[in-house]
mmCIF file of all heavy atoms in Angstrom:
data_model
loop_
_atom_site.group_PDB
_atom_site.id
_atom_site.type_symbol
_atom_site.label_atom_id
_atom_site.label_comp_id
_atom_site.label_asym_id
_atom_site.label_seq_id
_atom_site.Cartn_x
_atom_site.Cartn_y
_atom_site.Cartn_z
ATOM 1 N N ALA J 175 -17.251 -24.267 27.816
ATOM 2 C CA ALA J 175 -17.234 -25.157 26.652
ATOM 3 C C ALA J 175 -17.041 -24.354 25.375
ATOM 4 O O ALA J 175 -16.322 -24.787 24.457
ATOM 5 C CB ALA J 175 -18.538 -25.954 26.578
ATOM 6 N N LEU J 176 -17.640 -23.172 25.307
ATOM 7 C CA LEU J 176 -17.494 -22.323 24.132
ATOM 8 C C LEU J 176 -16.061 -21.806 24.020
ATOM 9 O O LEU J 176 -15.502 -21.749 22.912
ATOM 10 C CB LEU J 176 -18.483 -21.156 24.206
ATOM 11 C CG LEU J 176 -18.495 -20.185 23.033
ATOM 12 C CD1 LEU J 176 -18.680 -20.917 21.701
ATOM 13 C CD2 LEU J 176 -19.586 -19.133 23.234
ATOM 14 N N VAL J 177 -15.456 -21.420 25.138
ATOM 15 C CA VAL J 177 -14.053 -20.978 25.111
ATOM 16 C C VAL J 177 -13.160 -22.090 24.585
ATOM 17 O O VAL J 177 -12.348 -21.885 23.670
ATOM 18 C CB VAL J 177 -13.588 -20.541 26.518
ATOM 19 C CG1 VAL J 177 -12.079 -20.299 26.524
ATOM 20 C CG2 VAL J 177 -14.319 -19.288 26.964
ATOM 21 N N HIS J 178 -13.293 -23.287 25.169
ATOM 22 C CA HIS J 178 -12.464 -24.418 24.749
ATOM 23 C C HIS J 178 -12.656 -24.723 23.268
ATOM 24 O O HIS J 178 -11.689 -24.912 22.528
ATOM 25 C CB HIS J 178 -12.801 -25.654 25.578
ATOM 26 C CG HIS J 178 -12.126 -26.898 25.100
ATOM 27 N ND1 HIS J 178 -10.862 -27.264 25.521
ATOM 28 C CD2 HIS J 178 -12.509 -27.851 24.198
ATOM 29 C CE1 HIS J 178 -10.509 -28.388 24.912
ATOM 30 N NE2 HIS J 178 -11.495 -28.753 24.109
ATOM 31 N N THR J 179 -13.904 -24.764 22.832
ATOM 32 C CA THR J 179 -14.191 -25.125 21.447
ATOM 33 C C THR J 179 -13.657 -24.078 20.484
ATOM 34 O O THR J 179 -13.128 -24.414 19.415
ATOM 35 C CB THR J 179 -15.705 -25.309 21.240
ATOM 36 O OG1 THR J 179 -16.188 -26.247 22.202
ATOM 37 C CG2 THR J 179 -16.008 -25.835 19.838
ATOM 38 N N SER J 180 -13.777 -22.806 20.840
ATOM 39 C CA SER J 180 -13.276 -21.761 19.955
ATOM 40 C C SER J 180 -11.755 -21.815 19.839
ATOM 41 O O SER J 180 -11.198 -21.613 18.752
ATOM 42 C CB SER J 180 -13.736 -20.380 20.441
ATOM 43 O OG SER J 180 -13.275 -20.107 21.741
ATOM 44 N N VAL J 181 -11.064 -22.104 20.945
ATOM 45 C CA VAL J 181 -9.605 -22.246 20.891
ATOM 46 C C VAL J 181 -9.217 -23.435 20.014
ATOM 47 O O VAL J 181 -8.311 -23.345 19.179
ATOM 48 C CB VAL J 181 -9.019 -22.402 22.310
ATOM 49 C CG1 VAL J 181 -7.553 -22.834 22.252
ATOM 50 C CG2 VAL J 181 -9.147 -21.097 23.090
ATOM 51 N N MET J 182 -9.921 -24.557 20.183
ATOM 52 C CA MET J 182 -9.637 -25.732 19.359
ATOM 53 C C MET J 182 -9.959 -25.471 17.886
ATOM 54 O O MET J 182 -9.288 -25.985 16.988
ATOM 55 C CB MET J 182 -10.435 -26.935 19.860
ATOM 56 C CG MET J 182 -9.998 -27.451 21.222
ATOM 57 S SD MET J 182 -8.259 -27.981 21.264
ATOM 58 C CE MET J 182 -8.291 -29.386 20.149
ATOM 59 N N GLN J 183 -10.979 -24.670 17.628
ATOM 60 C CA GLN J 183 -11.325 -24.333 16.247
ATOM 61 C C GLN J 183 -10.207 -23.509 15.604
ATOM 62 O O GLN J 183 -9.800 -23.774 14.462
ATOM 63 C CB GLN J 183 -12.631 -23.546 16.206
ATOM 64 C CG GLN J 183 -13.162 -23.319 14.796
ATOM 65 C CD GLN J 183 -13.720 -24.589 14.178
ATOM 66 O OE1 GLN J 183 -14.651 -25.190 14.720
ATOM 67 N NE2 GLN J 183 -13.166 -25.013 13.052
ATOM 68 N N VAL J 184 -9.707 -22.521 16.333
ATOM 69 C CA VAL J 184 -8.597 -21.716 15.812
ATOM 70 C C VAL J 184 -7.378 -22.592 15.572
ATOM 71 O O VAL J 184 -6.713 -22.498 14.522
ATOM 72 C CB VAL J 184 -8.249 -20.576 16.794
ATOM 73 C CG1 VAL J 184 -6.969 -19.872 16.369
ATOM 74 C CG2 VAL J 184 -9.392 -19.575 16.876
ATOM 75 N N LEU J 185 -7.069 -23.446 16.540
ATOM 76 C CA LEU J 185 -5.927 -24.352 16.412
ATOM 77 C C LEU J 185 -6.038 -25.202 15.146
ATOM 78 O O LEU J 185 -5.095 -25.297 14.359
ATOM 79 C CB LEU J 185 -5.855 -25.230 17.662
ATOM 80 C CG LEU J 185 -4.697 -26.214 17.833
ATOM 81 C CD1 LEU J 185 -4.520 -26.530 19.317
ATOM 82 C CD2 LEU J 185 -4.904 -27.516 17.083
ATOM 83 N N ASN J 186 -7.198 -25.810 14.940
ATOM 84 C CA ASN J 186 -7.383 -26.690 13.785
ATOM 85 C C ASN J 186 -7.445 -25.911 12.471
ATOM 86 O O ASN J 186 -6.923 -26.366 11.448
ATOM 87 C CB ASN J 186 -8.648 -27.535 13.968
ATOM 88 C CG ASN J 186 -8.402 -28.755 14.830
ATOM 89 O OD1 ASN J 186 -7.706 -29.675 14.443
ATOM 90 N ND2 ASN J 186 -8.972 -28.763 16.026
ATOM 91 N N ASP J 187 -8.076 -24.740 12.487
ATOM 92 C CA ASP J 187 -8.118 -23.928 11.274
ATOM 93 C C ASP J 187 -6.710 -23.522 10.843
ATOM 94 O O ASP J 187 -6.392 -23.518 9.646
ATOM 95 C CB ASP J 187 -8.966 -22.677 11.500
ATOM 96 C CG ASP J 187 -10.455 -22.971 11.541
ATOM 97 O OD1 ASP J 187 -10.858 -24.118 11.228
ATOM 98 O OD2 ASP J 187 -11.226 -22.058 11.887
#
Side-chain angles (χ1 to χ4, degrees):
L176 182 53
V177 171
H178 173 87
T179 306
S180 60
V181 168
M182 292 300 294
Q183 188 72 59
V184 171
L185 184 157
N186 278 292
D187 286 351

